């Protein structure tokens, strides 16, 4: 087990190396000069050249890369070109809304979609089942911002139950924080619920054909016990896998959702950084996302052992 | 004796179960009546599709929703189960009637400990406290003769063998002393020695408690071993019922006679030892070792086959007999080079193929062909049987027309309609598919035909036909046949020579008469002693 975790942690290194090289090159090979953005519309070419020198952008590309990697390895992620702060500070400031959004979405989506999927499997072919299947097609195909604006229109503007936009820190006012989390999490959840409920349904359906389900029924157990204790736990592994993969959807969705609801999180920071060609910020945020993704999936792999004693690393 | 003891535990009266529309017949079970008395073992015997499992599941109330009982009564100690509510049925399950199933490997929940799974029965049906429940479970685990009950209690199913898992199932079924135990082919998936132990256990436990047992099987050996009375089923109808001795030795109905006559005898057929043909296959110290990959831990090494020396001449059949995990299939696969042997040599004719490179091996592939166990899964469901048969020859450069002509001829050889070549596998029965698989193998004009448990999935009457067909083909084409089986009766009927394998080694090797008549190795003796119904010579009746 420890052997397994150690190997998996070591395996993160090449992943990050590839991500780092890729992001670094992509940024420098795409058109758009950060110095020009910083200098503004009326700057002379001399002023721009000055800024370039100051930012170290006139060095050869491999030198820039070496300097950046050297700093990153020492825990120094550089200074934002644009926000006049270190990238570390910037991220620390922006991490809370994104984390809150991700956790709310995850909790909401999982606690809703797993029971829905189980019920759909149990009542295969029923109205409920077809409704769930229909919803999941819709959930996959409607883009997040459409859902976001629809929710805002109905719940914030027409009904006036919830605020339209904005964020209140959890430490400042918990109730207001929660109010402002509802619509964004709901928006981000839709695709996630569609995905997980579908996988849960398929996975439980498969398990329900297993011999040990027949054994459980032959023991005289109630349908609820058969379903929850015997079927769901055996169906857990594929569900967990998809939740892990879905973290990527969450990260991608956070960018759109935060923009729609004006949450000052990492998603919006990414958008702002990209628009202003803020290289150090973009690079660090992308690296951070990759670390999160890899670590979450490692945790998911480890959690398999909790559900299935046959899996041993 | 009290009056209750005299009342049958199970009385099935005039039971009919309808099949969904579009099935091959209207009723899965039609007007079946029989009783099971306390302390009695009643065997339901029949081939696949005879409705024997449907009867069992109807009694338990576990029938698939598509199947509906349409008439009759099922009385469990006088209470009509067909009229009982779902809640009442749930109360009865495991308290008055219990069931054990065919596949112990899959019948237990893999993510719960065995103890917890038995505990569920007690906590659902009784008010006992945790300590009493545990004591009761440990006691029943000891009663089904599982070693170290405490350890077994905390074990997960995958940590136990198939026989041990079936014991857990039996413990679970009997922990509340039900009056009726339904056993649905409980030993079919088990090795013959394990089967003998489980049969003995069931008989002991039911005799001790006076439990009535409804035992479902397709195996007349098992019937001879365990049954008090036998009911023979065909197409959902009860053909004949009576005491075991009467049914087995003096059957009245033609179908029963045919079934019993199909059971292969355990006494080998005398074909005379001929050693005149040229040697087709010879293995020298053939071995296969599996090595698990591990990063830091010690690598796991499994010796699946060790020092296997075999030879087969033209026109001979060599049988490899053994229990699961004995290495018999590994040897077959090494000979066909479906897997690469790790030690030793394999000669096909004069060519050594064990270490040959894949590219050089290709022209020799034609010479060894294999027929697998499961005719339902060894055919691609999306291509016609014609394409299935000609794929191999065409791969070796024969034109489509010629290959098709050969396929038509082979369909006749295996006694199928040549016009059926454009049909798909699902349009054939299991026995027909196995014939098609044989035709496919023969289309390559092999020198050695390997049959890997090729008749094990078939009903006895079909099995008999396929065995006869294989032998006829062997004689006609003067083929060398390597016949892998776990079934001693089958081996006795088809093999000239027999190699008995255990734990990857050949423990006994000789002519069939010699191995069956005077076995020398202890393992072979134990294997024969465990064969169900070995004392019973199944008669050959004119139907």
């Amino acid at each position: 087990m420890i052997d397994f975790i150690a190997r998996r942690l070591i395996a993160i290194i090449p992943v990050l190396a590839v991500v780092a090289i890729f992001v670094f090159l992509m940024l420098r090979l795409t058109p758009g000069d950060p110095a020009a953005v910083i200098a503004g519309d009326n700057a002379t070419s001399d002023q721009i050249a000055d800024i370039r020198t100051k930012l170290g952008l006139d060095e050869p590309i491999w030198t820039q890369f070496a300097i950046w990697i050297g700093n990153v390895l020492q825990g120094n992620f550089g200074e934002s070109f644009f926000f006049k702060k270190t990238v570390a500070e910037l991220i620390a400031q922006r991490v809370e809304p994104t984390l809150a959004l991700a956790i709310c979405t995850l909790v909401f989506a999982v606690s809703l979609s797993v029971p829905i999927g189980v019920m759909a499997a149990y009542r295969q072919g029923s109205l409920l089942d077809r409704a769930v299947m229909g919803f999941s097609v819709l959930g996959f195909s409607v883009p997040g911002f459409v859902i976001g604006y629809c929710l805002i229109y109905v719940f914030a503007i027409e009904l006036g139950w919830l605020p339209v936009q904005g964020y209140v820190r959890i430490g400042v006012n918990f109730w207001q924080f929660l109010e402002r989390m509802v619509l964004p999490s709901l928006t981000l959840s839709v695709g996630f619920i569609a995905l997980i409920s579908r996988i849960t349904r398929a996975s439980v359906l498969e398990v329900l054909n297993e011999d040990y389900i027949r054994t459980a029924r032959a023991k005289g157990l109630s349908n609820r016990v058969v379903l929850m204790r015997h079927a769901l736990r055996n169906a857990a592994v594929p569900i967990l896998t998809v939740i892990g993969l879905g973290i990527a959807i969450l990260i991608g969705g956070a960018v759109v959702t935060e923009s729609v609801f004006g949450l000052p999180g990492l998603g919006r920071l990414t958008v702002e950084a990209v628009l202003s060609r803020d290289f150090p910020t973009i690079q660090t945020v992308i690296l951070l996302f990759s670390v999160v993704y890899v670590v979450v999936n490692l945790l998911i792999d480890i959690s398999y052992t909790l559900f299935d004693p046959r899996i041993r690393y | 004796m009290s009056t209750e003891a005299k009342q049958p535990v199970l009385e099935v009266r005039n039971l009919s179960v309808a099949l969904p529309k579009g099935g091959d017949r209207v009723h899965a079970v039609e007007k079946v009546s029989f009783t099971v008395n306390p302390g009695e073992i009643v065997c339901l015997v029949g081939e696949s599709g005879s409705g024997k499992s449907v009867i069992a599941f109807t009694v338990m109330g576990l029938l698939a929703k598509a199947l509906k009982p349409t008439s009759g009564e099922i009385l469990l100690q006088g209470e009509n189960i067909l009229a009982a509510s779902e809640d009442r049925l749930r109360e009865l399950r495991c308290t008055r009637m219990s069931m054990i199933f065919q596949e112990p490997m899959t019948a237990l929940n893999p993510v719960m400990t065995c103890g917890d799974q038995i505990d569920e029965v007690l906590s659902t049906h009784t008010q006992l406290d945790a300590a009493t429940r545990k004591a009761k479970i440990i006691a029943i685990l000891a009663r089904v003769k599982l070693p170290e009950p405490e350890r077994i209690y905390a074990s997960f199913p995958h940590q136990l063998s198939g026989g041990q898992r079936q014991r857990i199932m039996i413990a679970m079924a009997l922990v509340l002393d039900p009056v009726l135990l339904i056993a649905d082919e409980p030993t079919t998936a088990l090795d013959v020695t394990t089967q003998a132990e489980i049969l003995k256990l069931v008989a002991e436990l039911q005799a001790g408690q006076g439990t009535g047992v409804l035992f479902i099987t397709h195996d007349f050996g098992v019937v001879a071993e365990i049954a008090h009375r036998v009911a023979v089923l065909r197409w959902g109808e009860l053909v004949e019922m009576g005491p075991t001795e009467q049914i087995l030795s003096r059957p009245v109905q033609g179908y029963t006679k045919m079934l019993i006559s199909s059971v292969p005898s355990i006494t080998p057929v005398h074909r005379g030892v001929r050693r005149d043909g040229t040697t087709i296959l010879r293995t020298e110290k053939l071995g296969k070792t599996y090595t698990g990959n591990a990063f830091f831990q010690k690598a796991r090494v499994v010796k699946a086959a060790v020092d296997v020396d075999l030879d087969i001449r033209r026109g001979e059949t060599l049988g490899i007999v053994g229990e699961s995990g004995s290495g018999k299939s590994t040897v077959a696969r090494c000979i066909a080079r479906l897997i690469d042997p790790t030690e030793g040599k394999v000669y096909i004719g004069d060519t050594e193929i064990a270490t040959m490179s894949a590219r050089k091996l290709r022209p020799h592939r034609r010479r060894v062909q294999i027929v697998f166990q499961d005719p339902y899964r060894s055919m691609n469901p999306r291509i016609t049987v014609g394409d299935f048969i000609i794929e191999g020859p065409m791969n070796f450069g024969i034109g489509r027309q010629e290959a098709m002509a050969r396929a038509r001829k082979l369909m006749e050889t295996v006694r199928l309609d040549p016009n059926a070549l454009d049909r798909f596998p699902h349009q054939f029965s299991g026995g027909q598919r196995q014939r098609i698989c044989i035709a496919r193998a023969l289309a390559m004009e092999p020198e050695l035909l390997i049959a890997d448990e090729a008749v094990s999935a078939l009903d006895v009457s079909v099995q008999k036909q396929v065995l006869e067909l294989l032998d006829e083909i062997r004689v006609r084409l003067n083929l060398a046949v390597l016949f892998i089986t776990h079934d001693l009766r089958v081996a006795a009927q088809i093999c000239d020579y027999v190699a008995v394998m255990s734990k990857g080694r050949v423990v006994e090797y000789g002519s069939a008469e010699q191995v069956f008549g005077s076995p020398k190795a202890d393992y072979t003796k134990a294997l024969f002693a465990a064969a169900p119904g070995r004392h019973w010579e199944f008669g050959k009746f004119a139907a």
Side-chain angles (χ1 to χ4, degrees), chain B residues 248-264:
Chain B
L248 292 186
S249 51
R250 296 183 301 280
V252 177
Q253 298 296 324
Y255 179 69
T256 316
K257 288 179 182 170
M258 187 277 290
L259 269 188
I260 294 173
S261 307
S262 301
V263 179

Side-chain angles (χ1 to χ4, degrees), chain B residues 79-94:
Chain B
E79 182 178 348
N80 187 1
I81 289 174
L82 287 184
S85 69
E86 187 55 36
D87 282 341
R88 178 62 186 152
L89 273 175
R90 225 174 271 148
E91 276 171 27
L92 291 173
R93 286 179 199 143
C94 256

Side-chain angles (χ1 to χ4, degrees), chain B residues 515-527:
Chain B
V515 173
F516 279 84
S518 53
K520 290 187 186 61
D522 290 342
Y523 178 76
T524 317
K525 288 178 191 161
L527 202 60

Side-chain angles (χ1 to χ4, degrees), chain B residues 284-289 304-308 330 334 340-345:
Chain B
E284 251 175 41
K285 301 231 172 286
L286 180 66
K288 175 73 183 170
T289 308
V306 186
D307 290 347
V308 176
T330 304
C334 283
D340 295 336
T342 45
E343 281 110 335
K345 294 191 165 74

Side-chain angles (χ1 to χ4, degrees), chain A residues 3 211 215 219 229-230 234, chain B residues 106-107 109 117 120 125 296:
Chain A
D3 172 40
D211 287 352
T215 307
K219 283 200 256 185
R229 196 186 299 162
H230 290 271
N234 277 288
Chain B
T106 54
N109 187 337
Q117 295 192 51
E120 260 191 329
H125 295 293
F296 291 128

